[in-house]
């Protein structure tokens, strides 16, 4: 029964987030997330094809744009500030599967998870195809270059890139 409900909720979410990014639909998507317990600011834009599931443990500020293909899994909590641009196919996962203490146990269906919050502060630009891992804070005004995998905190006003992401330079 639980499986049926989860899959049904996933299908409904997919349909909602397939809608185009007209203003009315953006508001509808924000209200949909509010129903899941998220806190969503004003003028949030969702391209068609964003995936946010489930909506709880998610806080989003004002003037945030989620580009097509963005995937957000806020199980461990994701907080996004205001004036944040999130590029195509960005991935934010706020939890890891638990890794068994011994090799004799399978990773598949191993119980438990390691949930750690992701924080994106104000005025951040996350480039296309970035992955933000659990527990990471991205500081105010920073830029995450396309294709980066961010494994550690990013200081304010840094431009970071690569796998794992390192500081390319500081913003002027
Ligand atoms: C981060 C970015 C804005 C930097 O632009 P820039 O300030 O003009 O930087 P430069 O091109 O001068 O590059 C500076 C250094 O960073 C490196 N660099 C640039 N982009 C990089 C990236 N995505 N990943 C890793 N390194 C990168 C360059 O190779 C260069 O290294 P070097 O000094 O050893 O030669 C740009 O490269 C980028 O990644 N933009 C994202 C584009 C995108 O995703 N658009 C979608 C929008 S939704």
């Amino acid at each position: 029964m639980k499986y049926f409900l989860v899959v049904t909720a996933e299908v409904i979410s997919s349909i909602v987030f397939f809608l185009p990014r007209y203003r009315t639909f953006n508001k509808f998507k924000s209200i949909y997330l509010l129903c899941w317990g998220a806190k969503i600011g004003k003028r949030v834009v969702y391209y068609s094809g964003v995936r946010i599931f489930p909506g709880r443990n998610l806080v989003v500020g004002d003037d945030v744009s989620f580009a097509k293909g963005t995937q957000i899994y806020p199980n461990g909590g994701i907080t996004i500030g205001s004036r944040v641009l999130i590029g195509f196919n960005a991935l934010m996962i706020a939890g890891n599967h638990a890794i068994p203490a011994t090799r004799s146990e399978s990773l598949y269906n191993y119980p438990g998870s390691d949930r750690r919050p992701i924080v994106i502060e104000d005025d951040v630009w996350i480039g296309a195809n970035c992955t933000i891992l659990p527990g990471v804070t991205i500081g105010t005004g920073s830029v995450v270059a396309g294709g980066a995998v961010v494994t550690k905190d990013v200081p304010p006003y840094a431009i970071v890139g690569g796998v794992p992401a390192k500081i390319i330079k500081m913003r002027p």
Side-chain angles (χ1 to χ4, degrees):
M1 184 62 182
K2 189 184 170 198
Y3 182 81
F4 173 79
L5 290 173
V6 169
V7 173
T8 304
E10 282 178 350
V11 170
I12 292 167
S13 281
S14 301
I15 293 167
V16 169
F17 286 104
F18 183 72
L19 294 169
R21 59 187 162 112
Y22 293 123
R23 202 178 297 172
T24 311
F25 289 140
N26 288 331
K27 282 187 184 155
F28 177 67
K29 291 174 198 180
S30 289
I31 291 166
Y32 174 77
L33 289 171
L34 291 171
C35 294
W36 275 95
K39 290 182 185 153
I40 309 289
K42 296 176 189 145
R43 300 175 299 279
V44 176
V45 175
Y46 311 83
Y47 282 57
S48 175
V50 168
R51 182 178 165 83
I52 301 174
F53 190 83
R56 64 176 179 272
N57 300 329
L58 176 68
V59 178
V60 178
D62 298 333
D63 301 302
V64 174
S65 174
F66 295 100
K68 190 175 183 70
T70 299
Q71 298 208 48
I72 310 255
Y73 295 89
N75 47 0
I78 294 185
T79 301
I80 299 172
S82 293
R83 303 170 301 282
V84 173
L85 290 165
I86 299 176
F88 298 100
N89 299 317
L91 188 57
M92 291 184 204
I93 312 169
N96 290 319
H97 289 293
I99 298 175
T102 61
R103 294 182 187 182
S104 58
E105 292 172 284
S106 171
L107 284 157
Y108 190 84
N109 271 349
Y110 186 74
S113 59
D114 171 21
R115 299 177 178 195
R116 281 182 268 155
I118 291 173
V119 178
I120 315 288
E121 294 180 348
D122 295 339
D123 298 296
V124 167
W125 171 26
I126 295 178
N129 288 312
C130 290
T131 300
I132 316 295
L133 292 182
V136 163
T137 294
I138 299 190
T140 306
S142 54
V143 175
V144 180
V149 175
V150 186
T151 59
K152 295 193 172 128
D153 291 354
V154 173
Y157 301 102
I159 300 180
V160 299
V163 181
K166 308 263 187 227
I167 296 179
I168 294 174
K169 55 186 166 184
M170 297 303 290
R171 277 181 55 188

